[in-house]
């Protein structure tokens, strides 16, 4: 990275080395997540007895030359530690008691003992602010912490044959602990069928453990949802002003982002603000189009809380506050499909059941409108080789659900048998988000439908007796949406 900064004179360096008050010793309060992260580490420990586990937080990423993207730790690392710091690494080493002892290697504060506090643009306290010291951090998160400078020696002591690593987050860790090769002689460890997959197995296990949320995680998701609901309300109040701008989508995007920054860490993913025919583009992220009266505005947005759990909610709103007859016709089908999907969420149901129920409603509607050139059953056939399977998907491309938590598409490394093909379990949180999208140039649909895109999405917690819609505070039926918009636009 090129730099054109002036080098500090010797007199300046001497002057900066003195005249600073002692750093006060403050014992921080225990982080509220600490007892939960301890339980998570203990659970992971049971899956890999007698093996060392290495999980990095990841490092800063360059945005442009000498500026970085805002840092967010890797989700597995954060789930196990509650630590937000870059470049940190937690090592779980087997203990004589048969479990694991956790040590977190993390940068100490950049105090006045070296010039780094004013000379290091990336980490120096006068550039980016202070961070907790080793002792303070250890007290807060209740993990033994050691200076990051000791990490290299700690990694050098580990045997690849008895170590598993979450890879792809920290190049230094990846280089220092090579993947265990099947050809490597190893008499002390039992043979495994495919040792090259050892690290993948760790990643899969972490994703699968994270599928079921504990009470703290559910509380954090509720906080994220509450902030998201408030952000949607503020967007509704700003729709009128957005119509006066050539790129009014950006105004709504910025309105929601402000709420995300005030009440949370950030947005949980790039907000989708898609008005008019932009709503037929599933991941419209440019958000640079106009907001026109008479059109629909599809808003797919979520606040990421300070604890990094994110909401993921979609509402499709009539810009002028009232659905036209044809807009309501399509909206009502999507809303019925979503309700069918939500009703399918219960312990013991298959993860794919909400999708199956939602798609049946949509396929039946398409067939009733004369848009489906085959029977409903032929289109819904689950055999991908069936000659007429899946034709309804032309108008509803995506799946109906995904898991939600620290990542908007959470637990992505989980195996199909525990996720896509697995049962729903109390404590899981998933979205239910069917949609219908009629492209503006699709001549298989009548002209009045072209350019209409509608999606409705809520965040659903699986409970012991069924389900709870975490985002039920936002209305879903067409009439309820119109009434809600009227209240907020006149407030």
């Amino acid at each position: 990275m090129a730099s054109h900064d002036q080098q500090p004179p010797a007199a300046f360096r001497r002057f900066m080395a003195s005249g600073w008050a002692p750093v006060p010793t403050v014992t921080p309060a225990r982080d509220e997540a600490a007892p939960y992260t301890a339980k998570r580490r203990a659970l992971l420990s049971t899956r890999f007895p007698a093996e060392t586990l290495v999980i990095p937080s990841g490092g800063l990423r360059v945005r442009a030359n000498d500026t970085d993207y805002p840092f967010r730790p890797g989700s597995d690392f954060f789930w196990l530690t509650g630590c937000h710091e870059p470049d940190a690494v937690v090592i779980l080493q087997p203990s004589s008691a048969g479990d694991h002892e956790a040590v977190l290697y993390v940068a100490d504060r950049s105090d006045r003992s070296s010039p780094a506090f004013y000379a290091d643009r990336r980490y120096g306290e006068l550039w980016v602010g202070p961070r907790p010291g080793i002792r303070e951090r250890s007290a807060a998160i209740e993990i033994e912490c050691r200076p990051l400078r000791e990490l290299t020696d700690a990694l050098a002591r580990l045997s690849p044959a008895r170590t598993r690593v979450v890879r792809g987050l920290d190049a230094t860790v990846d280089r220092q602990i090579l993947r265990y090769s099947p050809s490597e002689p190893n008499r002390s460890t039992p043979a495994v069928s495919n040792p090259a997959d050892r690290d993948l197995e760790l990643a899969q296990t972490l994703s699968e453990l994270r599928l079921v949320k504990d009470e703290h995680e559910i509380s954090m998701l509720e906080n994220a949802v509450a902030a998201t609901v408030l952000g949607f309300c503020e967007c509704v109040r700003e729709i009128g002003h957005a119509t006066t701008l050539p790129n009014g989508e950006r105004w709504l995007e910025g309105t929601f982002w402000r709420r995300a920054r005030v009440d949370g860490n950030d947005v949980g993913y790039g907000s989708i603000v898609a008005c008019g025919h932009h709503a037929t583009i599933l991941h419209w992220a440019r958000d640079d189009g106009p907001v026109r009266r008479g059109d629909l505005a599809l808003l797919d947005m979520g606040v990421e809380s300070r604890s990094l759990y994110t909401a993921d909610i979609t509402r499709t709103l009539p810009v002028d506050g009232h659905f036209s007859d044809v807009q309501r016709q399509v909206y009502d089908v999507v809303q019925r499909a979503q309700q069918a999907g939500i009703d399918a969420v219960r312990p013991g149901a298959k993860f794919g059941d909400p999708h199956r129920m939602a798609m049946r409603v949509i396929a039946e509607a398409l067939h009733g409108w004369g848009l489906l050139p085959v029977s409903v059953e032929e289109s819904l056939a689950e055999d991908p080789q069936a000659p007429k399977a899946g034709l309804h998907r032309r108008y509803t491309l995506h799946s109906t659900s995904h898991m939600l938590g620290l990542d908007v598409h959470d637990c992505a490394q989980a195996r199909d048998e525990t996720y896509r093909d697995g049962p729903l379990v109390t404590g899981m949180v998933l979205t239910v988000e069917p949609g219908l999208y009629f492209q503006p140039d699709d001549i298989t649909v009548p002209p009045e439908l072209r350019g209409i895109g509608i999606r409705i999405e809520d965040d659903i917690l699986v409970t012991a007796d069924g389900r709870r819609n975490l985002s039920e505070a936002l209305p879903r039926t067409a009439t309820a949406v119109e009434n809600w918009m009227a209240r907020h636009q006149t407030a």
Side-chain angles (χ1 to χ4, degrees), residues 356-405:
R356 294 184 186 95
M357 296 301 101
M359 289 303 101
R360 177 164 293 278
V361 173
I362 283 177
E364 288 174 350
L366 292 170
H367 190 270
W369 293 340
L371 301 182
L372 199 59
V374 299
S375 73
V376 170
E377 298 304 327
E378 287 173 318
S379 189
L380 292 175
E382 296 194 16
D383 179 1
Q385 302 304 318
K388 300 176 182 179
L391 298 193
H392 63 284
R393 294 186 62 179
R394 178 185 181 107
Y395 312 106
T396 178
L397 285 171
H398 57 82
S399 296
T400 302
S401 297
H402 58 78
M403 293 299 180
L404 185 69

Side-chain angles (χ1 to χ4, degrees), residues 211 351 402-403 410-412 414-422:
L211 282 168
F351 170 78
H402 58 78
M403 293 299 180
D410 207 28
C411 309
R415 295 166 297 165
D416 282 349
E417 55 262 39
T418 61
Y419 187 152
R420 191 183 68 179
D421 302 325

Side-chain angles (χ1 to χ4, degrees), residues 112-194:
R112 308 309 189 247
S113 61
S114 77
F117 78 96
Y118 68 86
D120 187 338
R121 282 175 172 265
R122 221 173 192 188
Y123 300 105
E125 290 193 0
L126 293 195
W127 287 96
V128 298
R131 57 173 172 258
I134 296 292
R135 290 188 298 274
E136 292 85 357
R137 188 179 305 282
S138 183
I141 64 177
E142 297 184 336
I143 302 176
E144 180 184 352
C145 294
R146 294 180 184 169
L148 189 58
R149 63 179 178 274
E150 297 180 9
L151 176 64
T152 298
D153 289 342
L155 295 176
R157 294 191 292 267
L158 302 179
S159 166
R162 304 184 72 87
T163 303
R164 298 176 189 257
V165 180
V166 172
R167 296 191 180 272
L169 290 171
D170 191 315
T172 300
V173 173
D174 289 350
R175 283 194 303 269
Q176 287 198 252
I177 305 178
L178 300 178
R179 288 184 182 272
Y180 173 58
S181 169
S183 61
E184 179 181 335
N186 178 31
R187 294 185 176 88
S188 62
T189 302
V192 293
S193 59
N194 189 352

Side-chain angles (χ1 to χ4, degrees), residues 73 89 216 281 288 326 414:
V89 178
H216 179 260
I281 300 171
D288 62 356
V326 68

Side-chain angles (χ1 to χ4, degrees), residues 91-118:
I91 299 180
L92 278 63
Q93 291 188 294
S95 72
S96 57
D99 55 5
H100 285 74
E101 294 177 348
V103 177
L104 177 64
Y105 294 87
V106 63
D108 205 349
R109 61 174 301 159
S110 175
D111 60 18
R112 308 309 189 247
S113 61
S114 77
F117 78 96
Y118 68 86

Side-chain angles (χ1 to χ4, degrees), residues 201-212:
E201 187 179 7
L202 172 59
Q204 290 173 337
T205 299
L206 281 163
S207 273
E208 290 168 10
L209 291 177
R210 286 171 47 211
L211 282 168
V212 177

Side-chain angles (χ1 to χ4, degrees), residues 1-7 62-68 119 121-122 127:
M1 293 182 288
S3 174
H4 299 283
D5 291 342
Q6 293 181 340
Q7 294 302 308
V62 174
R63 182 184 185 276
N65 191 38
D66 59 351
T67 61
D68 296 312
R121 282 175 172 265
R122 221 173 192 188
W127 287 96

